[in-house]
Amino acid sequence: MSAEPVGAPGAEAPDPLTVVRTRGYAVLLIMVALLGVPLSAAAFGFLALVHELETLTFEDLPRGLGFDGAPSWWPVPLLAVSGLLTGLAVHYLPGTGGHEPAEGFVNSGSPTAAQLPGVALAALASLGLGVVLGPEAPLIALGGGLAAYAAHLLKPGIEPRAGAMVAAAGSFAAVSALLGSPLLGAFLLMEASGLAGMMLGIVLVPGLLASGIGSLIFIGLGSWTGLGTYSLTLPHVPHTPQPTVAEFGWALVLGAAAALVGTGVRRLSLSLRDRVAQRRIVATVVMGLTVGVLALLYAESTGREASEVLFSGQDDLGGLLAEDATYTAATLLVLIVCKALAYSASLSAFRGGPIFPSMFLGAAGGLALSHLPGLNATSGFAMGIGAMCVAMLRLPLTSVLLATLLLGREGITVMPLVIVSVVVSYVLVLRFERPSKASTAPR
């Protein structure tokens, strides 16, 4: 997504009402609405392809080789292949595979037409073979890049500001239904864009239009194909009582713990990223092997599925909450350690988004603490998601919405607790953040 020309420092800001009243703005909305349909269909197809690759590599292929299911050691060679393919795509194709997830969820601009194949291939090689990342960042990049390319084909002389708004709307359309609500996807991009004031609305209206259309396309294609919408949902959310004083105390603890873990994951991933950059292909294979070995260690030490460590965690969030009683506190701690280390390795070398693994980590942490007195499982689940999301994304409002809208009616009940945990985590993360060399250099 890219909307920088609208609010770029030093740029002359047009009057918002004047922009809305122009014929060009109406034409822009029509263009966005028309582009929203094929862009949303392409995003749906990308998610379906990722899902099919996961099924092929972790279910069909092992059975085809004579196994009853994927052995516990299966992720090790598979993640090595993922590292090789991703490393080759990042090293040789234009655009270095898109945004580096170790940097967090930031606005890095839309890829050019020449960079789109590299972004798609690097993401497929990462996500389809079990890397601990989500699809949101590649979807946003691909949606924005395809929209910008289509806009220039349809109107070669399009102004840079209008082209940037079409690209932003393409990103909205691509991610519209992934997070469970088109409004939540739009809010995520809005907060991450760094825009403010009335001009935000000028950019947001085309994005909301594209997001609404995208959500309808996702629902229609999901029903027609029988594949579902690939939207974030929880099938069953246990009832939670009204917050207690003890739970507000736990909100402080969870916020502080998430800040520590999130800062550790981020620093480790950035440190590994610098080493990966020196020997891209070999180091990416090593990071893939590391993720596979961590999944193997978890499966062998706990007797549970290695897939709980692999992938983004989006599809496992519901089972984590619904089957909380089957997890001991020790199992959850092992899961958190293995998932966090696999997440750091994935962030350092592969391509994907940071949102869903952070949600899963936070949820597991909240459920682990709910084994102690004074903390309800659903409350811990929600607070952990919000606190870990803000630790990794630095987007406090989006983190609150991710943790509460996901829970439906129960989200309203736990929202005060989530807000406290998010604020604590956010403030601590900013205090833990190392100042850049530029800010500490003598003047």
Side-chain angles (χ1 to χ4, degrees):
M1 184 188 76
S2 177
E4 293 176 356
V6 179
E12 182 180 351
D15 176 53
L17 295 179
T18 301
V19 174
V20 172
R21 294 187 183 112
T22 62
R23 179 177 176 274
Y25 191 72
V27 172
L28 177 66
L29 291 179
I30 294 173
M31 180 185 294
V32 164
L34 293 175
L35 289 176
V37 175
L39 288 174
S40 302
F44 183 90
F46 178 82
L47 291 174
L49 182 56
V50 170
H51 178 72
E52 290 302 314
L53 281 174
E54 292 174 356
T55 303
L56 173 66
T57 53
F58 281 87
E59 295 180 20
D60 297 342
L61 187 56
R63 291 195 182 100
L65 293 175
F67 297 104
D68 293 332
S72 58
W73 52 263
W74 185 258
V76 179
L78 204 60
L79 267 295
V81 173
S82 174
L84 176 61
L85 296 177
T86 304
L88 290 171
V90 172
H91 185 72
Y92 288 108
L93 295 179
T96 64
H99 168 66
E100 295 193 16
E103 297 176 356
F105 194 87
V106 297
N107 174 19
S108 56
S110 300
T112 65
Q115 295 171 345
L116 288 173
V119 173
L121 291 174
L124 288 173
S126 297
L127 304 176
L129 300 182
V131 167
V132 187
L133 293 171
E136 69 281 357
L139 275 182
I140 291 168
L142 292 171
L146 288 172
Y149 179 62
H152 284 288
L153 287 180
L154 295 173
K155 193 174 181 181
I158 190 171
E159 296 180 358
R161 182 177 288 116
M165 292 204 300
V166 172
S171 295
F172 277 72
V175 79
S176 57
L178 184 65
L179 299 176
S181 165
L183 183 59
L184 184 51
F187 198 95
L188 168 71
L189 293 173
M190 177 186 71
E191 190 176 12
S193 69
L195 299 174
M198 280 292 291
M199 286 311 300
L200 173 60
I202 303 303
V203 179
L204 187 58
V205 169
L208 285 174
L209 175 62
S211 188
I213 292 172
S215 184
L216 289 174
I217 297 299
F218 267 61
I219 293 171
L221 287 175
S223 175
W224 179 57
T225 62
L227 297 174
T229 62
Y230 303 106
S231 179
L232 178 62
T233 58
L234 293 180
H236 174 68
V237 178
H239 174 69
T240 181
Q242 292 296 320
T244 64
V245 174
E247 285 184 327
F248 275 101
W250 278 116
L252 301 177
V253 174
L254 264 168
L260 288 169
V261 174
T263 299
V265 167
R266 185 177 176 85
R267 288 183 180 178
L268 178 58
S269 66
L270 289 172
S271 176
L272 291 173
R273 183 194 65 171
D274 294 338
R275 290 166 172 78
V276 167
Q278 297 171 11
R279 300 190 66 184
R280 170 63 62 182
I281 298 174
V282 173
T284 307
V285 172
V286 171
M287 290 299 102
L289 284 170
T290 300
V291 174
V293 169
L294 287 166
L296 170 62
L297 290 175
Y298 172 74
E300 290 296 318
S301 62
T302 64
R304 302 191 68 94
E305 295 293 330
S307 60
E308 294 180 8
V309 170
L310 302 174
F311 306 110
S312 68
Q314 175 187 356
D315 295 334
D316 292 327
L317 272 174
L320 189 65
L321 180 60
E323 301 172 14
D324 172 49
T326 67
Y327 289 87
T328 65
T331 297
L332 287 170
L333 289 175
V334 174
L335 175 59
I336 291 167
V337 172
C338 291
K339 189 85 170 183
L341 292 174
Y343 185 25
S344 294
S346 300
L347 287 168
S348 71
F350 292 89
R351 294 297 182 261
I355 295 179
F356 293 119
S358 67
M359 294 179 70
F360 187 91
L361 266 181
L367 291 176
L369 289 178
S370 71
H371 284 75
L372 299 174
L375 180 60
N376 175 273
T378 304
S379 299
F381 181 87
M383 287 190 289
I385 289 177
M388 186 57 69
C389 278
V390 79
M392 297 303 299
L393 307 181
R394 312 297 205 273
L395 303 176
L397 298 179
T398 298
S399 298
V400 170
L401 290 177
L402 279 169
T404 54
L405 293 183
L406 179 63
L407 299 181
R409 184 179 300 176
E410 304 301 326
I412 302 299
T413 303
V414 301
M415 185 176 284
L417 299 172
V418 173
I419 291 173
V420 172
S421 66
V422 166
V423 169
V424 171
S425 179
Y426 184 60
V427 171
L428 288 177
V429 162
L430 294 183
R431 291 183 65 87
F432 293 156
E433 199 167 63
R434 292 170 178 169
S436 63
K437 294 180 180 179
S439 64
T440 58
R443 301 188 179 186

